DNA sequence: ATGAAAGCGCTAACAC
DNA sequence: GTGTTAGCGCTTTCAT
């Protein structure tokens, strides 16, 4: 009674309204009509709830209902604008459906493990995995076993029962590289934060080989998956070559690294695209505002992932196990297409 | 028993281990020692839990404990990289303390109301308000009344009991403008997404007046708080003036709008900073990678807000009601300081 | 050193 | 139409 920190419960409302908890639950849950509760009682309940500033306790409700109306987005990092955008988009879609969004960052396999074991605790209905789940496929299986709906973006290995929304990374790599080749480039560097055993790289290679251009290991450079990382990788590249040998184009693993590349090139006094062309990946909104505007491999995977998750959650439609989202090349300025080819080759 | 979707409960673990739920709770809660449970029993419990893949149900635990180890960040938008950064930073700090982070977007007063009423449901221990709480001060008071710890960034009006972490916006506005004046600018435009009754604008005005420069309404332009909005506001500005009258500098409400300005200026064939200087606000990491790199009013408010929240949550230190985080001007390229003044005025 | 029992606040069968 | 009852799965006195 004199506990300052005790919020009103449905029991309190029931007492004040002279009704039962059941009735309160029914009325406040919006199921007062349907020939269940009389108008008069409904009014009394609503008024009592207002007087007491009653807000149902989510924890109790969710525990009882075995559903939380919440989803979690698992991403490897939030410093990366690409993933920040993912979260933003997901939030928008979730909000429209009355779901709340929880974000977890799984920056390492151990962190990932922790995150998934957290999720097994039943705090969310659905999970969108934006991380590579190979190391934790068994944990994901556990989540499913517990009734947590999962979808994942771009899994290398499929986990049965978990829809996988992917884009054709190999084709994306091909598309970007081929575009550069058509513009006359023959020395096209590739910067990334992972090794060469990726689909994007394979596409890059295929485009080169298709054009009869040798794939040089020297044209490959590593950096972290950040703007700074892109800058680092590009610096390495620039130091590696004499002016004559220098690559005439750089294909970056993603927009973030491409932006870093843009910066280093400018600092080195090189013009983009005239001296070096740059192509990014992901079509982030950022890329439209760089100087020069970034040509990038674009797709709508994020939106699709969230949509599939909600389809599943709301059982509103059948869901495939595998989706492939189409990709396009957003040709802007950094590739030099607008200023014509370069007449090489 | 044959319910595929029923995860093991502490009761199941207890039975398998031949112990009671109490013991299971004690052991798995890390309080098995302290002369409470025998080593042998502890071992049996742990093994049983592992065999059953037991993960405690958060909902039940939180309901009982009346604490959730979760915080919510309320921001007006996630498309805005500034707020995305806020969330990222908060996530990092929260993670280190074992808290999970939930993000809610309150884009309108109504949405804000919904969000706060959600928070009243007891799903989180703490809330960081990144939105202007004037319209909902009473709701915030309710949260506090329910034992939810709140902190807010940059409240106009203080809510008693809620620490407010602010930066001196007026001084920030002054700092940026004064810097431009010292570089020789006399026609300094101001672009924003709100009206002129803001502290930043006041600082802008004070700097101008202090230098004996008249404040012209014409030099003020509105646009949404996005990159596109900054572009729009800048376009308006450019159309409004002949080449002779054109402002020689633009002070943007924040980095996001400044980036939009950068783009439009470039498209108009104007060089930054030689033809038009640009200064942003907030010191986002993005600004370091624009071309030219953005001069911006920088501060560390976000980190402080989250720190104060955790101080409060962990009762680890006394907390003031009001913090003022220092601001500095991060001088980079877009203001032209590096290429010397412009010899005007 | 361990267990029985109560109850967090809610919803959902199942009466009447 | 409305109320009674029985839990959701956990932690926590309080016994023993």
């Amino acid at each position: 009674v004199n506990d300052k920190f005790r919020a009103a419960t449905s029991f309190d409302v029931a007492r004040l309204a002279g009704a039962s908890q059941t009735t309160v639950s029914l009325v406040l849950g919006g199921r007062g009509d349907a020939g269940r509760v009389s108008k008069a009682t409904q009014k009394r309940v609503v008024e009592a709830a207002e007087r007491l500033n009653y807000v149902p306790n989510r924890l109790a409700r969710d525990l009882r209902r075995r559903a939380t109306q919440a989803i979690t987005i698992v991403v490897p990092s939030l410093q990366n604008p690409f993933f920040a955008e993912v979260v933003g988009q997901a939030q928008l879609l979730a909000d429209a459906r009355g779901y709340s969004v929880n974000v977890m960052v799984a920056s390492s396999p151990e962190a990932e493990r922790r995150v998934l074991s957290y999720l097994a605790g039943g705090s969310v209905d659905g999970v969108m995995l934006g991380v590579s789940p190979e190391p934790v496929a068994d944990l994901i299986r556990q989540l499913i076993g517990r009734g947590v709906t999962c979808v994942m973006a771009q899994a290398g290995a499929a986990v049965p029962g978990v829809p996988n929304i992917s884009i054709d990374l190999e084709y994306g790599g091909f598309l970007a590289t081929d575009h550069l080749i058509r513009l006359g480039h023959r020395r096209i560097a590739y910067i990334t934060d992972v090794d060469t055993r990726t689909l994007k790289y394979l596409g890059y290679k295929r485009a080169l080989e298709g054009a009869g251009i040798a794939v040089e290991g020297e044209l490959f450079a590593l950096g972290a998956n950040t703007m700074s990382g892109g800058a680092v990788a590009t610096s390495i590249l620039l130091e590696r070559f004499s002016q004559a040998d220098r690559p005439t184009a750089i294909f970056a693993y993603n927009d973030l690294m491409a932006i870093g590349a843009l910066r280093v090139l400018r600092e080195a006094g090189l013009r983009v695209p005239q001296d070096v062309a740059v192509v990014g990946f992901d079509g982030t909104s950022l890329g439209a505002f760089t100087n020069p505007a970034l040509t990038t491999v674009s797709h709508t995977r994020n939106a699709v992932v969230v949509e599939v998750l909600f389809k599943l959650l709301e059982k509103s439609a059948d869901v495939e196990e595998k989706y492939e989202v189409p990709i396009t090349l957003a040709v802007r300025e950094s590739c030099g297409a607008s200023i014509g080819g370069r007449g090489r080759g």
Side-chain angles (χ1 to χ4, degrees), chain A residues 62-199:
Chain A
D62 294 348
L63 175 59
R64 183 59 235 242
R65 279 202 187 148
R66 298 167 164 289
T68 61
Q69 296 268 106
I71 62 169
T72 288
I73 320 273
V74 183
V75 293
S77 154
L78 270 173
Q79 326 305 320
N80 184 331
F82 174 71
F83 289 112
E85 271 184 46
V86 173
V87 176
Q89 286 174 28
Q91 202 286 327
L92 231 54
L93 291 168
D95 207 51
R97 289 172 167 82
Y99 278 71
S100 75
V101 174
N102 162 275
V103 194
M104 306 201 80
V105 174
S107 39
S108 66
E110 310 92 71
E112 209 163 318
R113 216 166 286 277
R114 255 182 35 233
V115 162
L116 288 176
S117 116
Y118 172 89
L119 295 175
S123 341
V124 293
D125 295 343
V127 178
M128 159 176 170
L129 275 335
V131 295
S132 62
E134 279 81 6
V136 285
D138 50 335
L139 289 176
I140 295 176
R141 266 188 287 276
Q142 255 193 57
L143 285 187
I144 300 177
R146 286 162 193 271
V148 179
T149 302
C150 298
V151 297
M152 51 200 192
Q154 204 69 35
V159 178
V162 180
N164 178 13
I165 292 79
S166 65
I167 56 175
D168 190 341
L169 295 170
E170 198 274 346
Y171 179 61
F174 174 84
L175 204 60
T177 312
D178 185 61
H179 179 72
L180 288 167
I181 293 171
R182 285 173 195 276
L183 291 174
H185 295 275
R186 296 190 68 78
R187 296 187 57 70
I188 301 170
Y190 182 83
I191 63 175
T192 178
D193 78 321
V194 284
D195 58 30
T196 56
R197 297 175 323 180
T198 62
L199 291 167

Side-chain angles (χ1 to χ4, degrees), chain A residues 321-343:
Chain A
E321 282 261 311
K322 183 133 185 55
Y323 287 80
E324 182 129 320
V325 178
I327 57 183
T328 58
L329 189 68
V331 177
R332 293 198 280 245
E333 300 164 353
S334 67
C335 63
S338 50
I339 62 168
R342 49 176 24 241

Side-chain angles (χ1 to χ4, degrees), chain A residues 189-192 221 223-224 226-238 249-272 276-280 290-292 294 334:
Chain A
Y190 182 83
I191 63 175
T192 178
T226 59
M227 294 190 279
S228 310
V232 168
T234 306
S235 302
I236 293 175
L237 233 33
L238 292 182
I250 297 178
F251 174 37
Y253 186 70
N254 58 29
D255 288 354
L256 208 57
M257 294 187 75
I259 291 173
L262 248 32
R263 168 151 199 85
V264 166
L265 292 173
R266 188 163 61 84
E267 280 171 353
L270 297 167
R271 292 164 307 162
V272 177
V276 181
V278 174
V279 176
T290 53
N291 175 9
L294 198 61
S334 67

Side-chain angles (χ1 to χ4, degrees), chain A residues 203-223:
Chain A
Y204 160 82
K205 241 175 83 176
R206 177 160 66 90
L208 290 178
E209 287 167 352
I213 302 172
V215 178
E216 291 178 45
E218 295 263 289
L219 288 172
F220 178 86
L222 281 170

